[in-house]
Amino acid sequence: MKKSLIFLTWNEFDGTKKILPEIKNDWADEIIVVDGGSKDGTVELFQARGIKVFGQEKRGRGEAFRVGVANTTGDHLVFFSPDGNEHAADIPRVFDELAKGADMVIASRFLPGSRNEEDHSLLPLRKWVNQAFSLIANLFWNRGEYVTDTINGFRGLTRKAWNQLAPESTAFTIEYELSIRSMKQKLKIKEFPTAEGDRVGGVSKVPSFRAGIIFLRLLLHEICRG
């Protein structure tokens, strides 16, 4: 099976500079970048290493997923953001779990043995909201093993699953939509614990309150779809 590693970037120079040396070329058969319009030198870091960069005509994380799939040929796809939150050393494990037969693999921040960025916070609001959305999705649609982290972006899936799920999101709801539709269609979802790191430079692209509203809209849309 051919493996494709897809970096998703938008002004992540500091994180990319730190994480890129950790990436091994033999982890995947092809490595590309989908960039949302970086102006800080992120693109040049990848190009200096000979990694092909594709731009987006439309903004949005979901659109970045779509561009990445369209410009790769692998049977197994892994999506990774070099902002410091995602643990690069886990990339081979995502590919390994796909090779073992999973339709979708999620690096979970909430399984035993994992680390979440807010674990030591007195009010880990982002963590609680993430877990609440995962609980709702599991109660409505999951009839298999409980999925602890339906929203995390560090994941992989087969091209066959991507085509079958036909995600519509253009924004940062893409991962939640993929998780929900995988549950609905009874695809095999595999999770493993990951250590979420602290962001390296840059700023979060997901405003918390607005994000909650958008996720609620997606949830209602999927409920109405049945």
PDB file of all heavy atoms in Angstrom, residues 169-185:
ATOM      1  N   SER A 169     -17.261  19.370   4.866  1.00  0.00           N
ATOM      2  CA  SER A 169     -16.735  20.514   5.605  1.00  0.00           C
ATOM      3  C   SER A 169     -15.579  21.169   4.867  1.00  0.00           C
ATOM      4  O   SER A 169     -14.698  20.490   4.345  1.00  0.00           O
ATOM      5  CB  SER A 169     -16.251  20.080   6.989  1.00  0.00           C
ATOM      6  OG  SER A 169     -17.317  19.702   7.819  1.00  0.00           O
ATOM      7  N   THR A 170     -15.592  22.485   4.869  1.00  0.00           N
ATOM      8  CA  THR A 170     -14.456  23.227   4.328  1.00  0.00           C
ATOM      9  C   THR A 170     -13.623  23.831   5.454  1.00  0.00           C
ATOM     10  O   THR A 170     -12.510  24.290   5.216  1.00  0.00           O
ATOM     11  CB  THR A 170     -14.929  24.355   3.401  1.00  0.00           C
ATOM     12  OG1 THR A 170     -15.797  25.236   4.126  1.00  0.00           O
ATOM     13  CG2 THR A 170     -15.672  23.795   2.198  1.00  0.00           C
ATOM     14  N   ALA A 171     -14.146  23.831   6.672  1.00  0.00           N
ATOM     15  CA  ALA A 171     -13.467  24.469   7.796  1.00  0.00           C
ATOM     16  C   ALA A 171     -12.908  23.430   8.757  1.00  0.00           C
ATOM     17  O   ALA A 171     -12.697  22.267   8.405  1.00  0.00           O
ATOM     18  CB  ALA A 171     -14.424  25.427   8.501  1.00  0.00           C
ATOM     19  N   PHE A 172     -12.685  23.840  10.023  1.00  0.00           N
ATOM     20  CA  PHE A 172     -12.030  22.978  11.003  1.00  0.00           C
ATOM     21  C   PHE A 172     -12.968  21.950  11.636  1.00  0.00           C
ATOM     22  O   PHE A 172     -12.579  21.274  12.593  1.00  0.00           O
ATOM     23  CB  PHE A 172     -11.363  23.836  12.089  1.00  0.00           C
ATOM     24  CG  PHE A 172     -12.218  24.980  12.566  1.00  0.00           C
ATOM     25  CD1 PHE A 172     -13.262  24.777  13.443  1.00  0.00           C
ATOM     26  CD2 PHE A 172     -11.970  26.259  12.126  1.00  0.00           C
ATOM     27  CE1 PHE A 172     -14.048  25.830  13.870  1.00  0.00           C
ATOM     28  CE2 PHE A 172     -12.749  27.331  12.545  1.00  0.00           C
ATOM     29  CZ  PHE A 172     -13.796  27.115  13.429  1.00  0.00           C
ATOM     30  N   THR A 173     -14.193  21.827  11.105  1.00  0.00           N
ATOM     31  CA  THR A 173     -15.091  20.752  11.531  1.00  0.00           C
ATOM     32  C   THR A 173     -14.833  19.459  10.765  1.00  0.00           C
ATOM     33  O   THR A 173     -15.498  18.456  11.001  1.00  0.00           O
ATOM     34  CB  THR A 173     -16.556  21.172  11.327  1.00  0.00           C
ATOM     35  OG1 THR A 173     -16.700  21.688   9.992  1.00  0.00           O
ATOM     36  CG2 THR A 173     -16.970  22.227  12.338  1.00  0.00           C
ATOM     37  N   ILE A 174     -13.871  19.475   9.862  1.00  0.00           N
ATOM     38  CA  ILE A 174     -13.646  18.329   8.982  1.00  0.00           C
ATOM     39  C   ILE A 174     -13.393  17.039   9.755  1.00  0.00           C
ATOM     40  O   ILE A 174     -13.925  15.981   9.424  1.00  0.00           O
ATOM     41  CB  ILE A 174     -12.485  18.620   7.983  1.00  0.00           C
ATOM     42  CG1 ILE A 174     -12.254  17.457   7.028  1.00  0.00           C
ATOM     43  CG2 ILE A 174     -11.196  18.981   8.709  1.00  0.00           C
ATOM     44  CD1 ILE A 174     -13.336  17.263   6.013  1.00  0.00           C
ATOM     45  N   GLU A 175     -12.583  17.126  10.831  1.00  0.00           N
ATOM     46  CA  GLU A 175     -12.254  15.903  11.576  1.00  0.00           C
ATOM     47  C   GLU A 175     -13.472  15.335  12.297  1.00  0.00           C
ATOM     48  O   GLU A 175     -13.676  14.119  12.322  1.00  0.00           O
ATOM     49  CB  GLU A 175     -11.132  16.177  12.590  1.00  0.00           C
ATOM     50  CG  GLU A 175      -9.796  16.508  11.952  1.00  0.00           C
ATOM     51  CD  GLU A 175      -9.564  17.991  11.774  1.00  0.00           C
ATOM     52  OE1 GLU A 175     -10.543  18.766  11.930  1.00  0.00           O
ATOM     53  OE2 GLU A 175      -8.425  18.392  11.474  1.00  0.00           O
ATOM     54  N   TYR A 176     -14.267  16.229  12.877  1.00  0.00           N
ATOM     55  CA  TYR A 176     -15.466  15.770  13.587  1.00  0.00           C
ATOM     56  C   TYR A 176     -16.446  15.134  12.608  1.00  0.00           C
ATOM     57  O   TYR A 176     -17.051  14.097  12.895  1.00  0.00           O
ATOM     58  CB  TYR A 176     -16.106  16.964  14.292  1.00  0.00           C
ATOM     59  CG  TYR A 176     -17.160  16.611  15.325  1.00  0.00           C
ATOM     60  CD1 TYR A 176     -16.994  15.535  16.193  1.00  0.00           C
ATOM     61  CD2 TYR A 176     -18.315  17.385  15.462  1.00  0.00           C
ATOM     62  CE1 TYR A 176     -17.954  15.232  17.150  1.00  0.00           C
ATOM     63  CE2 TYR A 176     -19.278  17.094  16.413  1.00  0.00           C
ATOM     64  CZ  TYR A 176     -19.102  16.016  17.259  1.00  0.00           C
ATOM     65  OH  TYR A 176     -20.048  15.726  18.213  1.00  0.00           O
ATOM     66  N   GLU A 177     -16.586  15.729  11.449  1.00  0.00           N
ATOM     67  CA  GLU A 177     -17.465  15.175  10.419  1.00  0.00           C
ATOM     68  C   GLU A 177     -16.983  13.792   9.991  1.00  0.00           C
ATOM     69  O   GLU A 177     -17.784  12.858   9.854  1.00  0.00           O
ATOM     70  CB  GLU A 177     -17.513  16.113   9.220  1.00  0.00           C
ATOM     71  CG  GLU A 177     -18.443  15.622   8.108  1.00  0.00           C
ATOM     72  CD  GLU A 177     -18.386  16.502   6.876  1.00  0.00           C
ATOM     73  OE1 GLU A 177     -17.317  17.081   6.601  1.00  0.00           O
ATOM     74  OE2 GLU A 177     -19.406  16.601   6.184  1.00  0.00           O
ATOM     75  N   LEU A 178     -15.675  13.644   9.776  1.00  0.00           N
ATOM     76  CA  LEU A 178     -15.132  12.346   9.391  1.00  0.00           C
ATOM     77  C   LEU A 178     -15.391  11.297  10.476  1.00  0.00           C
ATOM     78  O   LEU A 178     -15.732  10.144  10.176  1.00  0.00           O
ATOM     79  CB  LEU A 178     -13.632  12.463   9.133  1.00  0.00           C
ATOM     80  CG  LEU A 178     -13.216  13.184   7.844  1.00  0.00           C
ATOM     81  CD1 LEU A 178     -11.723  13.488   7.870  1.00  0.00           C
ATOM     82  CD2 LEU A 178     -13.573  12.355   6.613  1.00  0.00           C
ATOM     83  N   SER A 179     -15.245  11.691  11.738  1.00  0.00           N
ATOM     84  CA  SER A 179     -15.473  10.758  12.842  1.00  0.00           C
ATOM     85  C   SER A 179     -16.936  10.326  12.898  1.00  0.00           C
ATOM     86  O   SER A 179     -17.242   9.131  13.027  1.00  0.00           O
ATOM     87  CB  SER A 179     -15.071  11.395  14.175  1.00  0.00           C
ATOM     88  OG  SER A 179     -13.691  11.684  14.217  1.00  0.00           O
ATOM     89  N   ILE A 180     -17.834  11.291  12.808  1.00  0.00           N
ATOM     90  CA  ILE A 180     -19.266  10.983  12.873  1.00  0.00           C
ATOM     91  C   ILE A 180     -19.680  10.075  11.721  1.00  0.00           C
ATOM     92  O   ILE A 180     -20.374   9.063  11.918  1.00  0.00           O
ATOM     93  CB  ILE A 180     -20.092  12.287  12.852  1.00  0.00           C
ATOM     94  CG1 ILE A 180     -19.945  13.019  14.185  1.00  0.00           C
ATOM     95  CG2 ILE A 180     -21.562  11.990  12.563  1.00  0.00           C
ATOM     96  CD1 ILE A 180     -20.606  14.393  14.207  1.00  0.00           C
ATOM     97  N   ARG A 181     -19.252  10.415  10.525  1.00  0.00           N
ATOM     98  CA  ARG A 181     -19.675   9.611   9.373  1.00  0.00           C
ATOM     99  C   ARG A 181     -19.052   8.216   9.404  1.00  0.00           C
ATOM    100  O   ARG A 181     -19.647   7.250   8.920  1.00  0.00           O
ATOM    101  CB  ARG A 181     -19.344  10.349   8.077  1.00  0.00           C
ATOM    102  CG  ARG A 181     -20.187  11.608   7.916  1.00  0.00           C
ATOM    103  CD  ARG A 181     -20.111  12.221   6.546  1.00  0.00           C
ATOM    104  NE  ARG A 181     -21.012  13.369   6.454  1.00  0.00           N
ATOM    105  CZ  ARG A 181     -21.249  14.043   5.346  1.00  0.00           C
ATOM    106  NH1 ARG A 181     -20.655  13.687   4.201  1.00  0.00           N
ATOM    107  NH2 ARG A 181     -22.085  15.075   5.349  1.00  0.00           N
ATOM    108  N   SER A 182     -17.850   8.098   9.972  1.00  0.00           N
ATOM    109  CA  SER A 182     -17.253   6.766  10.133  1.00  0.00           C
ATOM    110  C   SER A 182     -18.078   5.920  11.093  1.00  0.00           C
ATOM    111  O   SER A 182     -18.261   4.713  10.884  1.00  0.00           O
ATOM    112  CB  SER A 182     -15.814   6.890  10.656  1.00  0.00           C
ATOM    113  OG  SER A 182     -14.976   7.480   9.694  1.00  0.00           O
ATOM    114  N   MET A 183     -18.584   6.548  12.163  1.00  0.00           N
ATOM    115  CA  MET A 183     -19.457   5.831  13.088  1.00  0.00           C
ATOM    116  C   MET A 183     -20.747   5.417  12.402  1.00  0.00           C
ATOM    117  O   MET A 183     -21.208   4.277  12.537  1.00  0.00           O
ATOM    118  CB  MET A 183     -19.774   6.711  14.295  1.00  0.00           C
ATOM    119  CG  MET A 183     -18.605   7.006  15.208  1.00  0.00           C
ATOM    120  SD  MET A 183     -19.103   8.161  16.524  1.00  0.00           S
ATOM    121  CE  MET A 183     -17.543   8.373  17.386  1.00  0.00           C
ATOM    122  N   LYS A 184     -21.333   6.352  11.665  1.00  0.00           N
ATOM    123  CA  LYS A 184     -22.589   6.052  10.974  1.00  0.00           C
ATOM    124  C   LYS A 184     -22.447   4.874  10.018  1.00  0.00           C
ATOM    125  O   LYS A 184     -23.345   4.028   9.901  1.00  0.00           O
ATOM    126  CB  LYS A 184     -23.054   7.274  10.178  1.00  0.00           C
ATOM    127  CG  LYS A 184     -23.636   8.410  10.996  1.00  0.00           C
ATOM    128  CD  LYS A 184     -24.102   9.522  10.057  1.00  0.00           C
ATOM    129  CE  LYS A 184     -24.828  10.627  10.784  1.00  0.00           C
ATOM    130  NZ  LYS A 184     -25.324  11.678   9.858  1.00  0.00           N
ATOM    131  N   GLN A 185     -21.306   4.822   9.335  1.00  0.00           N
ATOM    132  CA  GLN A 185     -21.108   3.781   8.331  1.00  0.00           C
ATOM    133  C   GLN A 185     -20.380   2.558   8.875  1.00  0.00           C
ATOM    134  O   GLN A 185     -19.988   1.671   8.125  1.00  0.00           O
ATOM    135  CB  GLN A 185     -20.354   4.378   7.142  1.00  0.00           C
ATOM    136  CG  GLN A 185     -21.132   5.512   6.473  1.00  0.00           C
ATOM    137  CD  GLN A 185     -20.498   5.985   5.181  1.00  0.00           C
ATOM    138  OE1 GLN A 185     -19.895   5.205   4.443  1.00  0.00           O
ATOM    139  NE2 GLN A 185     -20.633   7.263   4.870  1.00  0.00           N
TER     140      GLN A 185
END
